[in-house]
């Protein structure tokens, strides 16, 4: 057992995508062998994609909290239905929005079993997480709460690994390794979602500047209020002095 823990640069976990991916991969034991096992599953998974995609959208349609998001404009698709109608008429399974999302999920699953595990692919996985939030650099304002994303990954992982575990394409040992590789992958993808929801990361320079500007604005407002209060106090003091002076003069006048 290694008695000297490996040093992890906390700032880089939140600013360096490759560094973050490498850390989480090492922690859960996702290796190049796992990547190869996922590629090895391509012949089976590609045939299962239509069934997996339909199962996912059937599940999403079971809950208004998840289904309502497909009535909103999304990256790459603008809903033509008037906004007032979207609130009263749920989107149908055969709608343009659902067809579009099914195509996107199909591409996602096919990329998983064919793409090289390089920075370009990591940026794609990160983008998948990014587009579901209301963070900057997006064309749409869709924001899916993390609880639904997390639930979906649990379901998607179950559907995919359940189907793979029944395949007779490989021997038992290879099949177990492939299933295990997918379980690890979905945790990695889930992490690239959670990074846009969990607020424990260090702030970027842009965010720091925004926070500093907000803090300065509040400080300026406090100073302004203090100046106003100081001026009011001075005016009240002057008025009080004047009143006392007038009363004193009248008192003296009466005494004389």
């Amino acid at each position: 057992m290694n008695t000297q823990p490996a040093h992890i640069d906390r700032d880089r976990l939140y600013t360096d995508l490759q560094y973050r991916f490498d850390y989480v991969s090492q922690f859960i034991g996702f290796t190049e062998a796992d990547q190869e096992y996922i590629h090895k599953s391509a012949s089976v998974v590609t045939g299962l994609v239509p069934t997996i995609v339909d199962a996912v959208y059937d599940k999403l349609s079971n809950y208004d909290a998840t289904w309502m998001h497909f009535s909103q404009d999304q990256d790459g698709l603008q809903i033509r239905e008037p906004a007032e109608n979207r609130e009263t008429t749920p989107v149908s399974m055969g709608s343009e929005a659902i067809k579009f999302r099914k195509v996107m999920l199909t591409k996602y699953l096919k990329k998983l079993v064919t793409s090289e595990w390089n920075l370009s692919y990591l940026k794609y996985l990160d983008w998948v997480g990014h587009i579901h939030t209301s963070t900057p650099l997006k064309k749409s304002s869709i924001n899916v709460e993390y609880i639904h994303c997390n639930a979906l990954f649990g379901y998607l992982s179950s559907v995919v690994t359940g189907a793979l575990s029944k395949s007779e394409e490989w021997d038992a040992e290879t099949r177990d390794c492939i299933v295990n590789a997918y379980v690890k992958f979905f945790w990695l993808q889930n992490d690239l979602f959670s990074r846009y929801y969990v607020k424990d990361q260090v702030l970027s320079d842009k965010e720091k500047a925004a926070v500093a500007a907000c803090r300065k604005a509040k400080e300026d407002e406090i100073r302004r209020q203090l100046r106003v209060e100081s001026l009011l106090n001075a005016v009240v003091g002057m008025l009080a002095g004047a009143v006392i002076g007038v009363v004193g003069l009248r008192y003296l006048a009466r005494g004389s």
Side-chain angles (χ1 to χ4, degrees):
M1 180 177 179
N2 184 9
T3 57
Q4 185 64 34
H7 172 68
I8 300 300
D9 187 327
R10 183 178 183 278
D11 287 0
R12 288 187 67 189
L13 289 176
Y14 302 103
T15 57
D16 186 330
L17 177 61
Q18 183 71 60
Y19 187 83
R20 182 189 183 101
F21 176 82
D22 290 344
Y23 165 69
V24 179
S25 294
Q26 291 170 15
F27 198 106
I28 67 177
F30 185 79
T31 65
E32 291 183 2
D34 291 305
Q35 298 169 13
E36 293 173 4
Y37 278 122
I38 289 176
H39 284 166
K40 185 186 290 288
S41 73
S43 59
V44 173
V45 170
T46 300
L48 292 171
V49 165
T51 302
I52 294 171
V53 170
D54 285 343
V56 166
Y57 280 88
D58 284 343
K59 174 62 71 172
L60 291 169
S61 70
N62 287 339
Y63 306 95
D64 57 3
T66 51
W67 201 240
M68 68 178 186
H69 293 292
F70 299 106
S71 298
Q72 301 172 340
D73 292 337
Q74 302 158 47
D75 270 22
L77 177 69
Q78 185 173 2
I79 307 299
R80 296 176 181 176
E81 187 74 14
E84 58 272 15
N85 292 349
R86 302 180 201 173
E87 298 179 2
T88 57
T89 307
V91 64
S92 68
M93 189 65 76
S95 68
E96 180 184 5
I98 299 304
K99 289 178 181 178
F100 173 78
R101 296 312 308 172
K102 283 189 172 184
V103 168
M104 296 299 287
L105 180 55
T106 297
K107 290 181 178 179
Y108 171 84
L109 292 171
K110 289 183 176 180
K111 274 180 175 288
L112 172 57
V113 296
T114 58
S115 295
E116 293 298 321
W117 287 83
N118 51 30
L119 183 58
S120 176
Y121 183 56
L122 292 186
K123 288 181 177 179
Y124 168 74
L125 295 178
D126 186 60
W127 171 79
V128 171
H130 185 218
I131 61 171
H132 288 82
T133 67
S134 59
T135 50
L137 306 179
K138 280 183 54 184
K139 294 180 180 179
S140 69
S141 59
I142 187 171
N143 183 52
V144 182
E145 293 172 328
Y146 179 65
I147 185 174
H148 309 306
C149 298
N150 185 54
L152 178 59
F153 275 116
Y155 179 73
L156 181 58
S157 177
S158 176
V159 170
V160 173
T161 57
L164 291 174
S165 66
K166 297 174 183 177
S167 175
E168 298 180 354
E169 182 76 12
W170 317 285
D171 60 74
E173 182 179 355
T174 300
R175 183 170 57 244
D176 288 346
C177 289
I178 289 173
V179 168
N180 194 35
Y182 273 89
V183 171
K184 295 175 186 177
F185 165 77
F186 284 120
W187 277 107
L188 286 164
Q189 178 66 92
N190 198 1
D191 175 66
L192 296 180
F193 267 70
S194 68
R195 72 186 298 232
Y196 291 104
Y197 294 92
V198 180
K199 300 300 182 182
D200 58 359
Q201 70 268 32
V202 293
L203 298 178
S204 67
D205 290 342
K206 187 175 182 179
E207 290 171 324
K208 288 178 180 177
V211 171
C214 182
R215 183 181 294 115
K216 184 178 183 302
K218 289 182 179 179
E219 291 174 349
D220 289 345
E221 177 61 19
I222 291 172
R223 292 192 186 97
R224 188 190 68 80
Q225 291 177 355
L226 290 175
R227 286 196 297 269
V228 170
E229 290 177 4
S230 178
L231 180 60
L232 288 174
N233 289 336
V235 170
V236 169
M238 291 174 60
L239 290 174
V243 169
I244 292 172
V246 170
V247 171
L249 289 174
R250 289 182 177 177
Y251 179 80
L252 291 174
R254 288 177 183 177
S256 61

